[in-house]
């Protein structure tokens, strides 16, 4: 599954190299998605399901299958990524591990077939055709402008990093064993057909990736075929496996994922230290010493009553201040999120006209990428 960070390296150069082709693709396959704003993008992505229905009935609860049988949607999905794109992409300098993984499910286990160094297209095609290996392409939005636009809008919509992988699997083959992930998953079927089986989670809303054995997961709760233009959503922790049926030359789908390490537990781990620091300034109880030799004890059960009392004091402080600040999570999101997609035209960022005055009215061009933070004046702070 896609992981956070490092996904925008060399993006500027790659985007310039892809501009001409991206524009041609857009002209040939008009978008069926609405890029007017983040809300409209997500609404059009899950259409005809309404947003309020999705979050009330499906989000973090159960899978959603949208089977469309719509040629316009299928044509647009095909323009996002297809097997034939790999030849040109390999000529741009792809590397095993960083950009591409080659794998196959063998006896319930993932067998990685990566070579060393640069990806050779002929070798890649050979592994695909002869070894029935699945091609896993990491973070395709680096090369595909339309995917960049989708993910950038979704990051604005969710307020969380969004990653993606493309999976291309030949007929009669399966790339990965049954497993669950630590991300919310949206799957867009781009080419061919894929046979999916979903199972009841053993760890609901899981915090980590894990492989599950066939004898532990029981019978599928959902089983179906995804066809071009179809969309599948399932929550983190959902056990799943998928194979390309015989009679289909190959299957291509893109997995768009989000909400990795983005739970209330993660937020509390991030925000509680700051809350303790701020509360301790005003509450002497938090500044009193811990008992002698507490750190030398194996069993600290005697201190749990005191800790419970202090936690209640923190809660009381929070009720009064109503301020709980994220630190590292917010920085991680701001540093690693996708910038606005400008395509090949960067004129919109070129300064022009008169400089604004102190009383001038301004308009934020990328308001979803603007974060206003008010911090204490460090120069005048009492220390």
């Amino acid at each position: 599954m896609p992981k956070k960070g490092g996904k925008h390296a060399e993006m500027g150069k790659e985007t310039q190299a892809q501009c001409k082709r991206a524009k041609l693709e857009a002209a040939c396959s008009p978008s069926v998605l609405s890029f007017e704003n983040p809300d409209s993008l997500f609404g059009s992505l899950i259409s005809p399901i309404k947003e309020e229905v999705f979050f009330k009935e499906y989000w973090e609860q159960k899978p959603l299958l949208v089977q469309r049988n719509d040629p316009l949607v299928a044509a647009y999905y095909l323009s996002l990524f297809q097997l034939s794109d790999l030849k040109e992409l390999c000529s741009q300098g792809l590397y095993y591990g960083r950009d591409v993984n080659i794998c196959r499910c063998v006896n319930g286990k993932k067998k990685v077939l990566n070579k060393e160094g640069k990806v050779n297209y002929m070798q890649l095609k050979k592994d695909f055709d002869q070894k029935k290996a699945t091609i896993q392409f990491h973070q395709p939005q680096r090369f595909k402008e339309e995917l960049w636009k989708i993910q950038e809008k979704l990051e604005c919509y969710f307020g969380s990093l969004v990653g993606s992988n493309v999976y291309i699997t030949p007929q009669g083959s399966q790339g990965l064993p049954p497993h669950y992930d630590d991300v919310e998953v949206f799957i867009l079927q781009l080419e061919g057909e894929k046979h999916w089986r979903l199972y009841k989670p053993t760890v609901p809303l899981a915090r980590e990736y894990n492989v599950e054995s066939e004898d532990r997961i029981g019978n599928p709760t959902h089983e179906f075929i995804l066809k071009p233009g179809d969309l599948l959503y399932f929550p983190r922790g959902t056990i799943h496996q998928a194979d390309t049926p015989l009679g289909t030359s190959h299957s291509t789908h893109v997995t768009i994922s989000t909400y990795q390490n983005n739970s209330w537990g993660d937020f509390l781990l991030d925000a509680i230290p700051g809350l303790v620091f701020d509360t301790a300034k005003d509450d002497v109880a938090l500044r009193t010493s811990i008992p002698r030799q507490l750190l030398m004890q194996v069993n600290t059960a005697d201190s749990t009553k005191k800790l419970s009392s202090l936690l209640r004091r923190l809660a009381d402080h929070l009720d009064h201040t109503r301020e709980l600040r994220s630190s590292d999570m917010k920085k991680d999101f701001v540093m690693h999120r996708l910038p606005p997609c400008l395509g090949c035209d960067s004129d919109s960022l070129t300064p022009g006209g008169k400089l604004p005055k102190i009383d001038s009215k301004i308009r934020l061009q990328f308001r979803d990428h603007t974060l206003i933070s008010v911090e204490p004046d460090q120069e005048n702070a009492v220390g």
Side-chain angles (χ1 to χ4, degrees):
M1 280 296 136
K3 299 298 180 183
K4 297 194 297 184
K7 64 185 181 182
H8 311 311
E10 300 295 325
M11 186 171 290
K13 295 179 181 178
E14 290 163 349
T15 302
Q16 291 176 4
Q18 294 296 319
C19 278
K20 185 174 181 180
R21 186 179 62 186
K23 286 188 174 181
L24 288 174
E25 289 174 343
C28 295
S29 303
S31 176
V32 296
L33 301 179
S34 171
F35 291 93
E36 183 179 349
N37 56 59
D39 285 358
S40 66
L41 184 280
F42 185 74
S44 61
L45 182 68
I46 63 171
S47 177
I49 305 298
K50 300 298 183 182
E51 287 181 69
E52 57 270 24
V53 172
F54 175 78
F55 285 104
K56 182 179 179 180
E57 299 182 12
Y58 296 98
W59 177 256
E60 293 191 329
Q61 299 171 63
K62 63 182 181 181
L64 167 67
L65 172 63
V66 180
Q67 294 177 308
R68 295 193 170 103
N69 192 28
D70 186 329
L72 288 178
V73 178
Y76 174 69
Y77 275 20
L78 181 63
S79 73
L80 298 178
F81 201 102
Q82 51 192 295
L83 176 61
S84 58
D85 291 331
L86 285 176
K87 187 172 184 179
E88 181 181 343
L89 290 173
C90 284
S91 70
Q92 297 185 30
L94 304 180
Y95 286 84
Y96 286 103
R98 185 193 72 180
D99 303 305
V100 172
N101 271 339
I102 310 299
C103 59
R104 186 176 180 188
C105 178
V106 179
N107 297 324
K109 295 183 179 180
K110 176 182 176 181
K111 184 176 181 181
V112 179
L113 305 173
N114 286 358
K115 306 297 187 293
E116 293 291 332
K118 266 189 176 183
V119 178
N120 178 278
Y121 174 74
M122 296 307 296
Q123 181 63 56
L124 186 69
K125 198 69 170 61
K126 182 179 179 181
D127 289 338
F128 182 79
D129 293 332
Q130 298 182 10
K131 296 183 179 180
K132 299 296 182 183
T134 288
I135 301 170
Q136 181 186 25
F137 191 91
H138 301 309
Q139 305 300 347
Q141 79 280 356
R142 295 174 297 160
F143 303 91
K144 288 290 190 172
E145 185 176 297
E146 198 72 8
L147 281 173
W148 181 351
K149 288 167 57 181
I150 292 171
Q151 290 178 220
E152 181 264 326
K153 280 288 187 286
L154 288 177
E155 287 185 335
C156 294
Y157 181 80
F158 285 111
S160 174
L161 294 177
V162 175
S164 66
N165 278 342
V166 165
Y167 295 87
I168 309 175
T169 303
Q171 66 172 327
S173 185
Q174 180 170 329
L176 300 171
H179 67 281
Y180 59 79
D181 298 293
D182 59 347
V183 284
E184 300 293 308
V185 170
F186 296 86
I187 289 168
L188 283 61
Q189 185 67 23
L190 311 182
E191 285 185 301
E193 299 181 356
K194 203 69 175 280
H195 170 230
W196 283 84
R197 286 170 285 173
L198 309 182
Y199 304 81
K200 184 179 179 180
T202 53
V203 183
L205 302 182
R207 288 177 52 84
E208 57 188 6
Y209 166 93
N210 194 42
V211 173
E212 291 281 22
S213 60
E214 291 271 9
D215 56 357
R216 187 169 179 232
I217 59 179
N219 295 320
T221 56
H222 303 75
E223 186 169 5
F224 48 84
I225 300 289
L226 277 188
K227 298 181 179 181
D230 291 348
L231 176 137
L232 170 65
Y233 158 80
F234 53 81
R236 54 194 187 278
T238 302
I239 302 169
H240 56 280
Q241 60 178 324
D243 61 272
T244 302
L246 292 171
T248 298
S249 62
H250 66 275
S251 164
T252 304
H253 75 262
V254 61
T255 295
I256 299 175
S257 61
T258 189
Y259 263 67
Q260 184 183 55
N261 301 328
N262 214 47
S263 67
W264 274 114
D266 295 303
F267 187 81
L268 287 173
L269 285 170
D270 187 40
I272 286 294
L275 176 63
V276 173
F277 183 83
D278 291 341
T279 307
K281 293 178 181 179
D282 304 319
D283 192 338
V284 69
L286 284 165
R287 303 200 300 270
T288 58
S289 301
I290 61 175
R292 288 185 309 104
Q293 299 183 350
L294 176 65
L295 302 181
M296 299 167 62
Q297 297 173 13
V298 176
N299 187 351
T300 58
D302 293 341
S303 300
T304 55
K305 186 175 180 180
K306 179 66 174 178
L307 285 173
S308 296
S309 172
L310 293 174
L311 287 172
R312 280 190 287 271
R313 296 178 81 95
L314 287 175
D316 290 341
H317 180 85
L318 185 58
D319 282 340
H320 285 94
T321 63
R322 299 189 179 278
E323 187 174 359
L324 191 61
R325 295 193 300 271
S326 167
S327 177
D328 291 336
M329 285 179 70
K330 183 176 290 187
K331 290 177 184 175
D332 185 57
F333 175 61
V334 171
M335 290 175 62
H336 293 112
R337 67 184 298 193
L338 282 165
C341 184
L342 302 176
C344 301
D345 183 10
S346 60
D347 290 344
S348 55
L349 292 185
T350 303
K354 297 179 180 179
L355 291 174
K357 298 179 180 179
I358 191 67
D359 58 347
S360 296
K361 292 183 178 180
I362 62 171
R363 179 175 62 88
L364 297 176
Q365 186 170 0
F366 304 109
R367 65 177 185 176
D368 293 310
H369 289 264
T370 303
L371 180 66
I372 299 176
S373 179
V374 179
E375 300 288 346
D377 186 346
Q378 298 297 326
E379 292 184 3
N380 299 321
V382 178

